[in-house]
Amino acid sequence: MSGFILAIDQGTTSSRAILFDGDMKVVGSGQKEFTQHYPASGWVEHDPEEIWSSVVATAKAALKRAGRDASDVAAIGITNQRETVVIWDRATGRPIHNAIVWQDRRTAPLCQKLKKQGLEKKFTRKTGLLLDPYFSGTKIAWMLDKVKGARKRAENGELLAGTVDSFLIWRLTGGKVHATDATNASRTLVYNIEKNAWDDELLAILGIPGRMLPQVKDCADDYGITEKSLFGAEIKILGVAGDQHAATIGQACFEPGMMKSTYGTGCFALLNTGSDLVRSKNRLLTTIAYRLNGKTTYALEGSIFIAGAAVQWLRDGIKVIGKAEHSGVLAASADPTQEVYLVPAFVGLGAPHWDAQARGAIFGLTRNSGPAEFARAALESVAFQTRDLLDAMRRDWKGASAKTVLRVDGGMVASDWTMQRLADILDAPVDRPTILETTALGAAWLAGSKAGVWPETREFARSWALERRFRPDMDASVRSAKLAGWRHAVRRTLSTL
């Protein structure tokens, strides 16, 4: 059997497909951006049909650029933007509404209502999550309530719901398979992560018929076979994981205490806690890191909504840089005597604050503040937020020792200045791997290992290679002063003041 593996990486702003060979090297890729829809303040939607067409187009492009066809591919692995959710017609496969994106805040009133009813502890105990618009469950409830006739049709078994991976699997298999993996299920707000099953009580609270939801499988499992008409030959789908979980796998964080952080639109840090389901006392999320061969590995997760998006704001919002990659160079030229802080709560604050109503703010401006200080403040905000997560993880779990090394990936990690500042603020080493396509690599490994053409866990972990380690090089007093300034700025930004 051929060792080629096709990874479908369906992200927030674009869909990508990457073809890996038997040596886990990239031999072809395709990428296609799609439209972001903002129908109201705080609302974010995607057209599922546009997502679908972009996935098919990029998969074909990756094969073509590699000079291969579908018959050369042993398996497909899928990774996806996690909490974004779709409801579609079981008979036609057509969505009944645009996908509601993970960034969307429209269900904040419902979350607040449930909190006032004293239900957050129940949801957290069962799912490891908090009552926040970020997660999929309240989005499904909103569509059932707002789309005419949707609830009755769902109760009659006419509608299906799922995260983007489920929608893609349904389409790829011609409607033969309605499935998801344990990591995506764990982000829905209705999946019991201890029992590894949909939770009937939580479904009833949100008014979601359980028959809408997909079968939950291991991350490396049989997800059916693609329709021959799509790519010219049938291909097995053998791996699925949400994007942050796939990156954890791609970074080979298989041992308890290992930690990775992905710096894309947002920042998502996962700390492997092994079989230990750690219930956070510091408003972190407890989630399923991955499930392999029926064995569940758990993680603590910190979710930061704005990371690379802060750099996009510099470029597109206030136009102080022409290209994103210029931000590090500009930040390096900032006046060291000015302490400017950006709290990038453009869509609220994530962990450990979870304040949906907070909004962005800048502190410490003087007449001499300019583009360089804004750039430094934007990049430092990512480092400060990561430090907040690491501190919370250390308070929650003894395995998050002071010796924790952070493995990083995502678009921002290409900036040496940003990674050095991250190490300085964390007071911990930051490791940048040689392969930055860790999310796609993780999805590919799930499929490749299941197909028997890629190495098993230990050998795969040994293949992880370091490109550069950034070691902290900031005076402790300077770090302490910066952190105090940051925490003061956050307190002044929280909506609860």
Side-chain angles (χ1 to χ4, degrees), residues 327-439:
S327 58
V329 175
L330 187 59
S333 68
D335 181 354
T337 66
Q338 291 196 56
E339 289 298 337
V340 178
Y341 293 91
L342 167 66
V343 183
F346 301 140
V347 291
L349 284 172
H353 310 288
W354 293 105
D355 187 342
Q357 305 306 320
R359 289 297 177 262
I362 299 175
F363 299 94
L365 294 178
T366 71
R367 284 290 300 271
N368 291 327
S369 301
E373 287 70 39
F374 274 71
R376 186 186 64 191
L379 297 181
E380 283 189 335
S381 74
V382 177
F384 289 135
Q385 290 179 98
T386 307
R387 174 63 186 255
D388 288 346
L389 297 182
L390 183 57
D391 286 348
M393 288 173 174
R394 286 171 173 166
R395 290 193 297 271
D396 272 337
W397 190 59
K398 63 183 183 298
S401 70
K403 296 181 180 179
T404 298
V405 176
L406 181 65
R407 290 185 173 181
V408 296
D409 55 80
M412 293 189 77
V413 308
S415 167
D416 289 353
W417 188 92
T418 306
M419 292 302 98
Q420 183 58 53
R421 187 52 54 102
L422 178 62
D424 288 340
I425 297 299
L426 294 181
D427 193 20
V430 171
D431 283 0
R432 185 169 64 192
T434 55
I435 298 177
L436 295 179
E437 300 286 0
T438 52
T439 304

Side-chain angles (χ1 to χ4, degrees), residues 290-330:
Y290 48 83
R291 197 174 83 193
L292 298 173
N293 300 315
K295 182 181 178 182
T296 301
T297 296
Y298 294 98
L300 281 172
E301 177 177 333
S303 305
I304 297 169
F305 298 148
I306 300 294
V311 178
Q312 292 172 333
W313 174 73
L314 291 175
R315 184 191 65 193
D316 304 331
I318 60 174
K319 303 184 188 304
V320 299
I321 56 173
K323 294 183 178 180
E325 53 266 32
H326 294 167
S327 58
V329 175
L330 187 59

Side-chain angles (χ1 to χ4, degrees), residues 82-85 100-108 110-111 120 123-124 127-142 163 183-190 206 208 268 283-287 301 303 305 350-351 354:
R82 296 177 296 178
E83 296 81 3
T84 299
V85 71
I100 301 182
V101 180
W102 60 271
Q103 299 163 313
D104 189 280
R105 312 304 288 171
R106 76 186 66 187
T107 64
L110 174 57
C111 293
E120 184 166 55
F123 277 90
T124 300
T127 70
L129 309 178
L130 300 168
L131 279 172
D132 189 87
Y134 176 30
F135 305 108
S136 310
T138 57
K139 298 175 180 8
I140 296 173
W142 186 94
T163 42
T183 69
N184 277 295
S186 75
R187 312 299 294 188
T188 59
L189 207 59
V190 289
L206 292 178
I208 299 172
F268 303 89
R283 295 182 68 76
L284 296 175
L285 306 177
T286 306
T287 195
E301 177 177 333
S303 305
F305 298 148
W354 293 105

Side-chain angles (χ1 to χ4, degrees), residues 22 24 220 249 252 254 292-293 444-464:
M24 298 183 286
I249 293 166
F254 293 125
L292 298 173
N293 300 315
W445 177 78
L446 289 169
S449 61
K450 182 67 176 178
V453 297
W454 276 24
E456 291 300 316
T457 308
R458 287 186 179 180
E459 188 179 342
F460 176 69
R462 284 196 292 268
S463 72
W464 187 92

